[in-house]
Amino acid sequence: MTSPLSLDAWNQLQSLYESKGKSFSTKEAFKSDPKRFSKFSHEFTNFDNSKILFDYSKNLIDEEILSSLIQLAKEANVEKLRNEMFNGDHINTTEDRAVYHVALRNRSMKEMKVDGVNVANEVNDVLQHMKEFSDSVRDGSWKGYTGEKILNVVNIGIGGSDLGPVMVTEALKHYAHESIKVHFVSNVDGTHIVETLKNCKPESTLFLIASKTFTTAETCANAVTAKNWFLNHVKDESHIAKHFVALSTNADEVAKFGIDTKNMFGFENWVGGRYSVWSAIGLSICIYIGFENFDKFLKGAEAIDNHFLNTPIEENIPFLGGLLTIWYNNFHKAQTKLVAPFDQYMHRFPAYLQQLSMESNGKSVTKDSKFVNYETGVVLFGEPTTNAQHSFFQLVHQGTKLIPTDFILAAQSHNPVENNKHQLMLASNYFAQAESLMLGKTKEQVESEGTESSLVPHKMFPGNRPTTSILAQKITPATLGSLIAYYEHVTFVEGAIWGINSFDQWGVELGKVLAKVILKELQTEGDVKTHDASTQGLINQFKAWA
Ligand code: F6P
């Protein structure tokens, strides 16, 4: 693999950064180019004809910089890797697996093969099973052991088996079933399951044990606790069949746990955990918003897949999003990326993207096993705003760091209360934040307001802080599916240019292994003596206090 540092386009970008990138003024760029907005913004049309506008024009780029970034993607063979992904090739090299979440949203039922086998029908069969099951829970024909309808669905999972369903059910709450509630238990902290079960009755509760591997310690512990809670009330194991369902790739472990594999919704190991919201892992979403809406969610993602696969890089929105990360991370030396949805329903979206981005691209070894000598994955963070404006936006506006930011807004609110006043206030902030981050406030402007001289520097804003504004018409299942798929492919482009494997996660292993050893020590009497002084001191103090 060629290091990105030795690509011509990389060197050209380095020169461009030196000659104009580091002093680039977006404000000036708008003044000198009246067509800048239309040149750097792209409208995406979804399968249902709804639109999303991606405005990249407030970024620190001009046509020359952008064309070098595009050239970089070409020289780094990103299109080839993309085609391999869509072809079902084993691009997850360290685990020798295909990366085929795109096959989960193949609603047009194209032939999509992994290892010579077309998986379109298999995927569709699971979706049909999800439809039948979710319909029966929603219409009340699936009954608990006493004949009661299901009113509470508890998804027990962690990481990709939790964050997607949590985020999507929150984001699409507007479409929720009127009487079924969904709950999510992820943390092994007993508080999570205890507090959740306070709201549930065994007769009307359905547990979805969501785990790709069905071996994840936290999920297994919570699942056992849920089963014990259920059996303590019910006292008859045969009733488990009505109340426990598994979402997994591991039928053996599911059976060992005591769930009949008839009540298992499967998927294959070519679905990465953080890309699994589209699979059986989405069953809680299906129950909550109905299969028809889940299907639109998949189709929205499929529409972005088609765009990503078939559009030239120049017009390809996930390519552009990913290339901007490279520009800021590797040339401007930005360390972070902020995603700020102006949408309360999307309050878990940044948390979801944290796993997507940082578990995918938090790597320092290339696909050909060499340590990198350049920066890779960004620290992605975010919160819904306007709330975020009243907490950490101070640093975004006036801090010493460059924090490229994505703002997301839907033009139409699901809750246009007070004659849509709230929505207009929300929108005004969305526009104002991006504008003020770009324009800043000069010394002259502050002085002209009669500000006392010692306060002038405090009230100045440097401006020129880059933002991408994403404007949807409405947050529907289709739009949300598209937005998630957009960020998946942005992550893909970033990882492809850095030459890393965005689809494994070896970095989570060491802590898991050590925790197993320490758990045994915590369960044994007496002081521990086998760790470094700090860990030992802490463990022994814990044992004394526990
Ligand atoms: O520990 C990281 C991880 O493997 C994630 O990649 C995954 O989403 C999560 O754990 C949960 O894994 P599983 O679905 O197998 O329980």
PDB file of all heavy atoms in Angstrom, residues 394-415:
ATOM      1  N   GLN A 394     -18.800  28.128  23.696  1.00  0.00           N
ATOM      2  CA  GLN A 394     -17.803  29.166  24.007  1.00  0.00           C
ATOM      3  C   GLN A 394     -16.450  28.785  23.394  1.00  0.00           C
ATOM      4  O   GLN A 394     -15.807  29.584  22.724  1.00  0.00           O
ATOM      5  CB  GLN A 394     -17.702  29.299  25.540  1.00  0.00           C
ATOM      6  CG  GLN A 394     -16.495  30.047  26.051  1.00  0.00           C
ATOM      7  CD  GLN A 394     -16.487  31.520  25.644  1.00  0.00           C
ATOM      8  OE1 GLN A 394     -17.532  32.165  25.642  1.00  0.00           O
ATOM      9  NE2 GLN A 394     -15.322  32.055  25.284  1.00  0.00           N
ATOM     10  N   LEU A 395     -16.076  27.525  23.626  1.00  0.00           N
ATOM     11  CA  LEU A 395     -14.767  27.060  23.138  1.00  0.00           C
ATOM     12  C   LEU A 395     -14.739  26.990  21.615  1.00  0.00           C
ATOM     13  O   LEU A 395     -13.732  27.275  20.977  1.00  0.00           O
ATOM     14  CB  LEU A 395     -14.455  25.701  23.767  1.00  0.00           C
ATOM     15  CG  LEU A 395     -13.068  25.117  23.545  1.00  0.00           C
ATOM     16  CD1 LEU A 395     -12.648  24.313  24.781  1.00  0.00           C
ATOM     17  CD2 LEU A 395     -13.020  24.190  22.347  1.00  0.00           C
ATOM     18  N   VAL A 396     -15.867  26.634  21.033  1.00  0.00           N
ATOM     19  CA  VAL A 396     -15.905  26.525  19.568  1.00  0.00           C
ATOM     20  C   VAL A 396     -15.717  27.915  18.948  1.00  0.00           C
ATOM     21  O   VAL A 396     -15.025  28.083  17.947  1.00  0.00           O
ATOM     22  CB  VAL A 396     -17.240  25.888  19.100  1.00  0.00           C
ATOM     23  CG1 VAL A 396     -17.255  25.697  17.587  1.00  0.00           C
ATOM     24  CG2 VAL A 396     -17.487  24.548  19.801  1.00  0.00           C
ATOM     25  N   HIS A 397     -16.308  28.933  19.588  1.00  0.00           N
ATOM     26  CA  HIS A 397     -16.217  30.300  19.044  1.00  0.00           C
ATOM     27  C   HIS A 397     -14.893  30.986  19.356  1.00  0.00           C
ATOM     28  O   HIS A 397     -14.333  31.669  18.505  1.00  0.00           O
ATOM     29  CB  HIS A 397     -17.352  31.164  19.617  1.00  0.00           C
ATOM     30  CG  HIS A 397     -18.667  30.933  18.943  1.00  0.00           C
ATOM     31  ND1 HIS A 397     -19.000  31.498  17.744  1.00  0.00           N
ATOM     32  CD2 HIS A 397     -19.729  30.189  19.308  1.00  0.00           C
ATOM     33  CE1 HIS A 397     -20.222  31.125  17.390  1.00  0.00           C
ATOM     34  NE2 HIS A 397     -20.683  30.316  18.316  1.00  0.00           N
ATOM     35  N   GLN A 398     -14.444  30.869  20.603  1.00  0.00           N
ATOM     36  CA  GLN A 398     -13.311  31.702  21.016  1.00  0.00           C
ATOM     37  C   GLN A 398     -12.110  30.927  21.543  1.00  0.00           C
ATOM     38  O   GLN A 398     -11.119  31.530  21.939  1.00  0.00           O
ATOM     39  CB  GLN A 398     -13.758  32.700  22.103  1.00  0.00           C
ATOM     40  CG  GLN A 398     -14.594  33.861  21.581  1.00  0.00           C
ATOM     41  CD  GLN A 398     -14.844  34.894  22.667  1.00  0.00           C
ATOM     42  OE1 GLN A 398     -15.131  34.533  23.803  1.00  0.00           O
ATOM     43  NE2 GLN A 398     -14.741  36.176  22.326  1.00  0.00           N
ATOM     44  N   GLY A 399     -12.213  29.588  21.568  1.00  0.00           N
ATOM     45  CA  GLY A 399     -11.083  28.798  22.067  1.00  0.00           C
ATOM     46  C   GLY A 399      -9.929  28.799  21.076  1.00  0.00           C
ATOM     47  O   GLY A 399     -10.011  29.381  19.982  1.00  0.00           O
ATOM     48  N   THR A 400      -8.854  28.115  21.452  1.00  0.00           N
ATOM     49  CA  THR A 400      -7.649  28.133  20.605  1.00  0.00           C
ATOM     50  C   THR A 400      -7.682  27.027  19.546  1.00  0.00           C
ATOM     51  O   THR A 400      -6.770  26.936  18.723  1.00  0.00           O
ATOM     52  CB  THR A 400      -6.393  27.935  21.476  1.00  0.00           C
ATOM     53  OG1 THR A 400      -6.567  26.743  22.254  1.00  0.00           O
ATOM     54  CG2 THR A 400      -6.175  29.113  22.404  1.00  0.00           C
ATOM     55  N   LYS A 401      -8.699  26.186  19.603  1.00  0.00           N
ATOM     56  CA  LYS A 401      -8.711  25.031  18.693  1.00  0.00           C
ATOM     57  C   LYS A 401      -9.643  25.244  17.508  1.00  0.00           C
ATOM     58  O   LYS A 401     -10.682  25.884  17.634  1.00  0.00           O
ATOM     59  CB  LYS A 401      -9.160  23.792  19.450  1.00  0.00           C
ATOM     60  CG  LYS A 401      -8.189  23.444  20.556  1.00  0.00           C
ATOM     61  CD  LYS A 401      -8.467  22.134  21.195  1.00  0.00           C
ATOM     62  CE  LYS A 401      -7.311  21.762  22.095  1.00  0.00           C
ATOM     63  NZ  LYS A 401      -6.936  22.837  23.045  1.00  0.00           N
ATOM     64  N   LEU A 402      -9.257  24.625  16.412  1.00  0.00           N
ATOM     65  CA  LEU A 402     -10.129  24.630  15.234  1.00  0.00           C
ATOM     66  C   LEU A 402     -11.043  23.407  15.349  1.00  0.00           C
ATOM     67  O   LEU A 402     -10.554  22.276  15.402  1.00  0.00           O
ATOM     68  CB  LEU A 402      -9.265  24.523  13.974  1.00  0.00           C
ATOM     69  CG  LEU A 402     -10.038  24.541  12.656  1.00  0.00           C
ATOM     70  CD1 LEU A 402     -10.526  25.959  12.344  1.00  0.00           C
ATOM     71  CD2 LEU A 402      -9.169  24.041  11.508  1.00  0.00           C
ATOM     72  N   ILE A 403     -12.339  23.650  15.379  1.00  0.00           N
ATOM     73  CA  ILE A 403     -13.286  22.528  15.539  1.00  0.00           C
ATOM     74  C   ILE A 403     -14.271  22.526  14.375  1.00  0.00           C
ATOM     75  O   ILE A 403     -15.316  23.200  14.421  1.00  0.00           O
ATOM     76  CB  ILE A 403     -14.039  22.645  16.890  1.00  0.00           C
ATOM     77  CG1 ILE A 403     -13.017  22.705  18.026  1.00  0.00           C
ATOM     78  CG2 ILE A 403     -15.000  21.463  17.069  1.00  0.00           C
ATOM     79  CD1 ILE A 403     -13.603  22.747  19.405  1.00  0.00           C
ATOM     80  N   PRO A 404     -13.945  21.789  13.308  1.00  0.00           N
ATOM     81  CA  PRO A 404     -14.884  21.728  12.179  1.00  0.00           C
ATOM     82  C   PRO A 404     -16.213  21.150  12.662  1.00  0.00           C
ATOM     83  O   PRO A 404     -16.238  20.159  13.398  1.00  0.00           O
ATOM     84  CB  PRO A 404     -14.200  20.764  11.203  1.00  0.00           C
ATOM     85  CG  PRO A 404     -12.771  20.707  11.637  1.00  0.00           C
ATOM     86  CD  PRO A 404     -12.765  20.949  13.109  1.00  0.00           C
ATOM     87  N   THR A 405     -17.284  21.776  12.236  1.00  0.00           N
ATOM     88  CA  THR A 405     -18.595  21.434  12.812  1.00  0.00           C
ATOM     89  C   THR A 405     -19.620  21.133  11.729  1.00  0.00           C
ATOM     90  O   THR A 405     -19.685  21.838  10.717  1.00  0.00           O
ATOM     91  CB  THR A 405     -19.091  22.633  13.659  1.00  0.00           C
ATOM     92  OG1 THR A 405     -18.134  22.875  14.689  1.00  0.00           O
ATOM     93  CG2 THR A 405     -20.443  22.368  14.284  1.00  0.00           C
ATOM     94  N   ASP A 406     -20.426  20.098  11.974  1.00  0.00           N
ATOM     95  CA  ASP A 406     -21.589  19.837  11.124  1.00  0.00           C
ATOM     96  C   ASP A 406     -22.840  20.256  11.897  1.00  0.00           C
ATOM     97  O   ASP A 406     -23.053  19.786  13.026  1.00  0.00           O
ATOM     98  CB  ASP A 406     -21.736  18.335  10.835  1.00  0.00           C
ATOM     99  CG  ASP A 406     -20.706  17.821   9.832  1.00  0.00           C
ATOM    100  OD1 ASP A 406     -19.848  18.611   9.393  1.00  0.00           O
ATOM    101  OD2 ASP A 406     -20.780  16.622   9.504  1.00  0.00           O
ATOM    102  N   PHE A 407     -23.639  21.103  11.299  1.00  0.00           N
ATOM    103  CA  PHE A 407     -24.936  21.446  11.884  1.00  0.00           C
ATOM    104  C   PHE A 407     -26.031  20.754  11.083  1.00  0.00           C
ATOM    105  O   PHE A 407     -25.958  20.703   9.844  1.00  0.00           O
ATOM    106  CB  PHE A 407     -25.175  22.963  11.814  1.00  0.00           C
ATOM    107  CG  PHE A 407     -24.305  23.761  12.750  1.00  0.00           C
ATOM    108  CD1 PHE A 407     -23.528  24.808  12.271  1.00  0.00           C
ATOM    109  CD2 PHE A 407     -24.287  23.485  14.111  1.00  0.00           C
ATOM    110  CE1 PHE A 407     -22.732  25.553  13.133  1.00  0.00           C
ATOM    111  CE2 PHE A 407     -23.496  24.230  14.979  1.00  0.00           C
ATOM    112  CZ  PHE A 407     -22.718  25.268  14.491  1.00  0.00           C
ATOM    113  N   ILE A 408     -27.034  20.252  11.782  1.00  0.00           N
ATOM    114  CA  ILE A 408     -28.141  19.553  11.103  1.00  0.00           C
ATOM    115  C   ILE A 408     -29.461  20.176  11.553  1.00  0.00           C
ATOM    116  O   ILE A 408     -29.680  20.373  12.755  1.00  0.00           O
ATOM    117  CB  ILE A 408     -28.144  18.047  11.475  1.00  0.00           C
ATOM    118  CG1 ILE A 408     -26.790  17.407  11.136  1.00  0.00           C
ATOM    119  CG2 ILE A 408     -29.282  17.306  10.770  1.00  0.00           C
ATOM    120  CD1 ILE A 408     -26.628  15.980  11.654  1.00  0.00           C
ATOM    121  N   LEU A 409     -30.301  20.472  10.589  1.00  0.00           N
ATOM    122  CA  LEU A 409     -31.639  21.001  10.919  1.00  0.00           C
ATOM    123  C   LEU A 409     -32.652  20.448   9.929  1.00  0.00           C
ATOM    124  O   LEU A 409     -32.340  20.252   8.746  1.00  0.00           O
ATOM    125  CB  LEU A 409     -31.642  22.533  10.819  1.00  0.00           C
ATOM    126  CG  LEU A 409     -33.011  23.221  11.021  1.00  0.00           C
ATOM    127  CD1 LEU A 409     -33.409  23.263  12.502  1.00  0.00           C
ATOM    128  CD2 LEU A 409     -33.023  24.647  10.446  1.00  0.00           C
ATOM    129  N   ALA A 410     -33.874  20.216  10.408  1.00  0.00           N
ATOM    130  CA  ALA A 410     -34.981  19.915   9.499  1.00  0.00           C
ATOM    131  C   ALA A 410     -35.846  21.162   9.393  1.00  0.00           C
ATOM    132  O   ALA A 410     -36.147  21.806  10.405  1.00  0.00           O
ATOM    133  CB  ALA A 410     -35.798  18.755  10.032  1.00  0.00           C
ATOM    134  N   ALA A 411     -36.228  21.509   8.174  1.00  0.00           N
ATOM    135  CA  ALA A 411     -37.020  22.734   7.986  1.00  0.00           C
ATOM    136  C   ALA A 411     -38.392  22.613   8.662  1.00  0.00           C
ATOM    137  O   ALA A 411     -38.903  23.575   9.227  1.00  0.00           O
ATOM    138  CB  ALA A 411     -37.187  23.015   6.489  1.00  0.00           C
ATOM    139  N   GLN A 412     -38.960  21.416   8.587  1.00  0.00           N
ATOM    140  CA  GLN A 412     -40.300  21.236   9.176  1.00  0.00           C
ATOM    141  C   GLN A 412     -40.197  20.486  10.494  1.00  0.00           C
ATOM    142  O   GLN A 412     -39.602  19.422  10.556  1.00  0.00           O
ATOM    143  CB  GLN A 412     -41.176  20.436   8.221  1.00  0.00           C
ATOM    144  CG  GLN A 412     -41.432  21.137   6.899  1.00  0.00           C
ATOM    145  CD  GLN A 412     -41.888  20.165   5.838  1.00  0.00           C
ATOM    146  OE1 GLN A 412     -42.635  19.235   6.106  1.00  0.00           O
ATOM    147  NE2 GLN A 412     -41.416  20.371   4.617  1.00  0.00           N
ATOM    148  N   SER A 413     -40.836  21.046  11.502  1.00  0.00           N
ATOM    149  CA  SER A 413     -40.837  20.396  12.811  1.00  0.00           C
ATOM    150  C   SER A 413     -42.001  19.420  12.902  1.00  0.00           C
ATOM    151  O   SER A 413     -43.066  19.652  12.314  1.00  0.00           O
ATOM    152  CB  SER A 413     -40.977  21.462  13.895  1.00  0.00           C
ATOM    153  OG  SER A 413     -41.205  20.845  15.133  1.00  0.00           O
ATOM    154  N   HIS A 414     -41.821  18.351  13.666  1.00  0.00           N
ATOM    155  CA  HIS A 414     -42.956  17.473  13.973  1.00  0.00           C
ATOM    156  C   HIS A 414     -43.856  18.106  15.026  1.00  0.00           C
ATOM    157  O   HIS A 414     -44.963  17.638  15.259  1.00  0.00           O
ATOM    158  CB  HIS A 414     -42.445  16.125  14.496  1.00  0.00           C
ATOM    159  CG  HIS A 414     -41.866  15.251  13.416  1.00  0.00           C
ATOM    160  ND1 HIS A 414     -42.636  14.717  12.410  1.00  0.00           N
ATOM    161  CD2 HIS A 414     -40.602  14.823  13.198  1.00  0.00           C
ATOM    162  CE1 HIS A 414     -41.861  13.975  11.611  1.00  0.00           C
ATOM    163  NE2 HIS A 414     -40.625  14.042  12.051  1.00  0.00           N
ATOM    164  N   ASN A 415     -43.350  19.135  15.674  1.00  0.00           N
ATOM    165  CA  ASN A 415     -44.092  19.750  16.780  1.00  0.00           C
ATOM    166  C   ASN A 415     -44.108  21.277  16.625  1.00  0.00           C
ATOM    167  O   ASN A 415     -43.433  21.995  17.370  1.00  0.00           O
ATOM    168  CB  ASN A 415     -43.430  19.359  18.117  1.00  0.00           C
ATOM    169  CG  ASN A 415     -43.439  17.857  18.315  1.00  0.00           C
ATOM    170  OD1 ASN A 415     -44.500  17.240  18.378  1.00  0.00           O
ATOM    171  ND2 ASN A 415     -42.261  17.253  18.384  1.00  0.00           N
TER     172      ASN A 415
END
